[in-house]
Amino acid sequence: MTTALAGVTPVRLTGGRAPRPGEPLWILHGPGVDDRFAGEDLHVRSAEEVLWEVLHAAGYERIVFSAYRDAVYFRDETSRNLTRAPGTAEPEPRRRNAMRRFSGPFGDMMLLSEPPARPRRPAAATDTERLRMLDGIMVDAAVSSAVVVPNAETWLENIQADMRRPFAEMLGRWSAGGAGGDNVCVLLFSQPDLTEIVNFVRGQRYLPQLTDKLAALATRRSGRAVGHLGFPEEAELAALVHGTRLRHGLRIADWTELPHLLRVMAAQEIPVKTWERLLRRLAGRAELSVEVLREQGMAEVAVADARDVWRRLDEMVGMTAVKAFLTRHRHVLEAAQALRARGLDADAEPAALHLTFTGNPGTGKTVVARMVGELYRDLGLLRRGHVVEAKVEDLVSPHGDTARLTSARVQAALDGVLFIDEAYRLSEDPLGLGTQAIDVLLTEMENHRDRLVVIIAGYAGRIDDFLATNQGLSGRFPRGNRLTFPDYTPPELHEIVLGQLRRQGLTCADDLVTALRTVTEALYRTRSADFANARTMRELAAEIRTGWASRTRLTRDGEITPATAEDVPEHYRGYLAEQKPLDEVLAELDRLTGLQAVKDTVRELAAVLELRRLQESGPSHVAAPHLLFLGSPGTGKTTVAKLMGKAFAALGLLYSGHVVVTTRADLVGEYVGQTAPKTRAKVLEALDGVLLIDEAYELAGEGNDFGSEAVAELITLMETHRGRLVVIAAGYPERMDEFVRSNSGVLSRAERLYFADYSLPELRKIFVDMVEEMGWTCDPTVPARVVRWLEHNRSEMARQGREFANARTVRNLVATMERRLAVRVLKLPAAERLAQARHLVAHDVPEPETS
């Protein structure tokens, strides 16, 4: 019989670590059920011996084994005697061997040879006799009993056909409360996943009740009656190594590297029985090291040295908040372990291990997830600490395989980390398949709470919504375990891209270093919600290397020259373009005809913004204001809007200062669901510049008109993109006032610029400037005739109650004069046409129209 194990329950037994009182079945599964176990006393035992110890420690007096070829056998005399038929004589007691005390490296512990396993087996029995005996043991409430079935798959498959129904009925009775006291039947399966066991039992067809029972156990979230015996962990492998060293002379190459060596062994998913054979073979032949394991093909899974984790974290650019969180998290977990080792927190909830990562793409979430796996492994919380990445497509199937896909991904991540990026897409699935995946995931997290860590990642707001959809989710991802990954700052982005270029073997000329500083600052200022941070820097470095290679055409023996600003990709060159100085922009404004009140207001506004920028020590805290342009058509609103964009760019308040001109038709859709996307598209087009909405009051529709939806969406986006967007709403003064009053949002606080109608002298100058810009000449009488035509047109428009279009009318008149010029010139002889092709005469000015 066996001697008592020091730790009794092996560390690698996770889940249900002992029979659950009142539950007649205890399922043990996994690769460990066929393995051997190294105990703290440095002896190696079979799974049956260890299981006997666990059950004995749990208080079971009678422990009976029943295998396919051995109907009933025992590993201790007490169990055999309690099962013996009445009147059978007791066997003579065995004499214990005497032992001499000694002192050595393990104190007074004495390392003896492994005790032989000699289970007592009675004569073979038929299935009928076997079942009758096992049923009698299970229903006997007088003796606390456990029936253990090793290799349950073979046992269930080979029950005699005529005994299958009685056997199924017997299991049904036990499950329905027919077992006596807390008697338990322990079934050992080699399958790593409980779902596979359910499918196997279902395939036997004659065990529907057992199938239902196992399926219920698979979904239970508390009071687990299912244990998993996995591969050996570091502590057990340490016992195996030391036992082999003391018993067989195994030598360790470097004792300081032993912890890392054990960590490597534990990561390989190799059973103890295989390690035992290898270590015995190496004893006396080679010193044990990671290199030797690699030579033997036993270290295929690479494991970083634990000391590298924190060094690599320290070497990462930026991420101050991330480093602080992981350091604090480490101290919390280490403190919990220390208290538990002293027995001081027996009633405390285990430290939460599941984490939430929020932040934009490229901020290091996946890299840190791998570090968390290594950290948990080094703390003994996970055996392997590997990371399995999963997207929604890896978990959800439209073909009814969602549960299988999710379970399969969990199985791949067991003893490590399951990293789910954009996890909120599961709850956003319109077909509800994501909800099914969430339910399976929660069940698996409960069933494998000792073997699985889940990290969910994505944008902060959407992660909040995701956790709020299911109480189980919010409970497993506490707010204290949320780690926010901020965007990299411009200096950090600059350092990242230069580091990428160095790692690619390139040196950077000074002009490239300066250019990249400008590019990274611009990328940061103009970043959108999905800015890719370090990923963008990696892509930029790769494109620079491509440009450098194309420019230098380096050969094997050629000289390696530095990368220069010339190698910056074309689509990044726009960030390097210099903006016009403010004085030049204002001088351009001064050259416009008329608009004196507008010019004065623009200069005052520019001065105020420049002052605020100086007061705030930079442009980042000062936002360019939204504007209202009030005036009739053709009074220069679009032209001034473009100059305002340039002025804001010159002040550093907008990056590009470009202008996107829109009307109601560009923002409002014809059907439900079209308006918001159209409005968002125009706003994104105008980001870092100006969105000019002409005749903005046309958005104020009536009834079910979608214009109000466009206004609401626009106001939201103006707040979201504050500092990156200027909206200029333009139109007639009276109608604009009414529009602004009806939409008390951001526009109600906008700066107002009034564009007065041009006077006749100003219109005359606009005409002359327009003709000169086209490269034409005209007779001295032409401008006067143009003024008379414009004066008459303005009077007629006023009489009809219509708005005079100012400079737009002048432009239309010039177009009419061009047509009259063309007709006149083509009537001339060919020799005279060229001389007259760009010269206007009085006849080219049409007569004023009268009604």
Side-chain angles (χ1 to χ4, degrees), residues 425-448:
R425 290 176 53 206
L426 291 171
S427 60
E428 296 169 356
D429 179 13
L431 300 178
L433 298 175
T435 302
Q436 182 184 358
I438 292 172
D439 291 339
V440 173
L441 180 64
L442 289 173
T443 299
E444 296 283 16
M445 290 169 70
E446 178 63 26
N447 291 340
H448 303 292

Side-chain angles (χ1 to χ4, degrees), residues 257 259-261 263-264 267 294 301-312 370-371 374-375 377-378 384:
E257 294 296 325
H260 179 59
L261 170 66
R263 194 171 297 117
V264 172
R294 290 198 186 101
V301 178
V303 176
D305 192 318
R307 293 167 293 188
D308 290 341
V309 177
W310 296 102
R311 188 184 70 244
R312 281 184 282 128
R370 296 192 183 104
M371 291 182 173
E374 295 179 42
L375 169 63
R377 183 200 63 215
D378 296 339
R384 297 181 64 197

